[in-house]
Amino acid sequence: MENTTSTRAKVTAPGLLAWKTEGRKIVMLTAYDYPSARLADRAGVDIVFVGDSLGMTVLGYDTTIPVTMEEMIFHVKAARRGVAKALLLADMPFGSYQASPEDAVRNATRLMKEAGAAAVKLEGGAPVAATVQRLTQAGMPVMGHLGLTPQSIHLMGGNRLQGAGAAEAERIIDDARALEQAGAFAVVLETIPAALAREVTAALTIPTVGIGAGPYCDGQVTVWHDMLGITPGRAFRHTRRYAELGREMEEAITRYAQEVRDQTFPGPENYV
Ligand code: KIV
């Protein structure tokens, strides 16, 4: 398969605005380290996203709540070394922006200055609009995140569909408009009905990026471990598994262990 890294243009946050009018879909994928970011970039992913989902996928937490700024910075730095053309987007972890816009500016600055992110993402609508405005005024591109917002899992009572009722749907549309007005360059829509995602997408001039929000968004985001079959258990409804790497890795490691034990590895080709 052709690798187009050298011929592709660098993806920028403001550049994505035109993609919406052109009908060009945005491909966003999580990656949490150098090899995964490099592979995603080489495969032509537009936004390499170091999500706080790394709390579950990489660090083994139950939720995204415990993820710290230090953990995010560590992983964004690693991913940065693998990215050439994609936009490197970093999640702001729980507690890094909720208390005040000043906290948000300080922490987003760290993600961009120390770690090398080109944009940040935070969760919430109208209540964080002032923060989004402060960040963009400080020169930092911000992606919003509405619908199922995993940092509020305890308030929401679990990972469930959002925006199913009329009042909730109205609130999500208002929140999306508030984020756009505050200067966000795009908005993630997570686990909301496809018809609502379509309405939000039509209401905004900035792109929407869906996960579990149907086909009408301006782009899609997927979690690395989900699409590659590394997440244990059954695939989520919104995920398509493009590979079963978890199974393949386990089989390979089992074979390696077996061959060490039965002394068929190393073989004559492995040493001088
Ligand atoms: O952290 C993450 O991976 C996310 C996506 C689910 C959008 O926020």
Side-chain angles (χ1 to χ4, degrees):
M1 208 173 293
E2 195 196 357
N3 165 248
T4 56
T5 308
S6 57
T7 52
R8 274 189 297 137
K10 178 85 185 148
V11 179
T12 66
L16 293 173
L17 267 180
W19 294 26
K20 181 167 178 125
T21 36
E22 291 162 12
R24 181 172 166 192
K25 293 283 185 185
I26 298 167
V27 181
M28 175 163 150
L29 178 62
T30 69
Y32 312 105
D33 57 17
Y34 167 73
S36 58
R38 180 174 175 275
L39 288 171
D41 190 270
R42 285 173 61 85
V45 164
D46 302 310
I47 302 179
V48 168
F49 171 45
V50 185
D52 63 357
S53 52
L54 69 81
M56 288 93 83
T57 56
V58 175
L59 302 177
Y61 300 143
D62 289 336
T63 69
T64 60
I65 307 284
V67 176
T68 65
M69 274 299 296
E70 302 314 317
E71 286 164 341
M72 287 305 304
I73 287 172
F74 181 87
H75 285 276
V76 175
K77 271 186 178 174
R80 172 72 198 93
R81 297 180 196 114
V83 168
K85 294 296 169 70
L87 177 77
L88 182 65
L89 174 70
D91 234 349
M92 298 200 66
F94 183 62
S96 70
Y97 61 93
Q98 286 89 347
S100 70
E102 289 71 31
D103 264 6
V105 170
R106 191 166 41 249
N107 287 315
T109 301
R110 290 192 69 196
L111 288 167
M112 296 189 68
K113 189 167 176 165
E114 284 177 44
V120 296
K121 179 174 83 55
L122 51 74
E123 297 181 4
V128 295
T131 297
V132 171
Q133 192 169 20
R134 279 290 293 280
L135 291 170
T136 51
Q137 283 170 347
M140 294 180 264
V142 183
M143 182 181 282
H145 185 157
L146 295 172
L148 198 169
T149 46
Q151 292 176 9
S152 306
I153 187 168
H154 296 306
L155 194 65
M156 291 178 163
N159 287 324
R160 52 180 63 139
L161 182 74
Q162 302 294 309
E168 237 187 86
E170 201 53 48
R171 186 176 52 75
I172 289 174
I173 296 169
D174 290 346
D175 280 342
R177 288 206 174 100
L179 290 172
E180 173 168 284
Q181 264 180 2
F185 72 91
V187 184
V188 166
L189 301 176
E190 179 167 355
T191 316
I192 63 172
L196 174 58
R198 181 184 224 167
E199 217 179 316
V200 174
T201 302
L204 300 182
T205 57
I206 57 172
T208 59
V209 182
I211 176 164
Y216 308 114
C217 295
D218 299 303
Q220 295 291 325
V221 53
T222 297
V223 169
W224 178 274
H225 294 64
D226 295 345
M227 68 160 286
L228 294 175
I230 301 168
T231 304
R234 240 162 34 96
F236 302 113
R237 181 174 181 187
H238 63 260
T239 301
R240 182 170 294 165
R241 283 198 171 186
Y242 287 85
E244 291 295 340
L245 297 192
R247 196 182 56 213
E248 278 191 45
M249 286 193 279
E250 193 172 328
E251 282 169 5
I253 296 162
T254 304
R255 235 179 52 232
Y256 160 69
Q258 186 57 47
E259 291 181 1
V260 170
R261 291 185 186 119
D262 66 19
Q263 299 176 43
T264 54
F265 176 81
E269 75 282 12
N270 301 120
Y271 57 88
V272 288

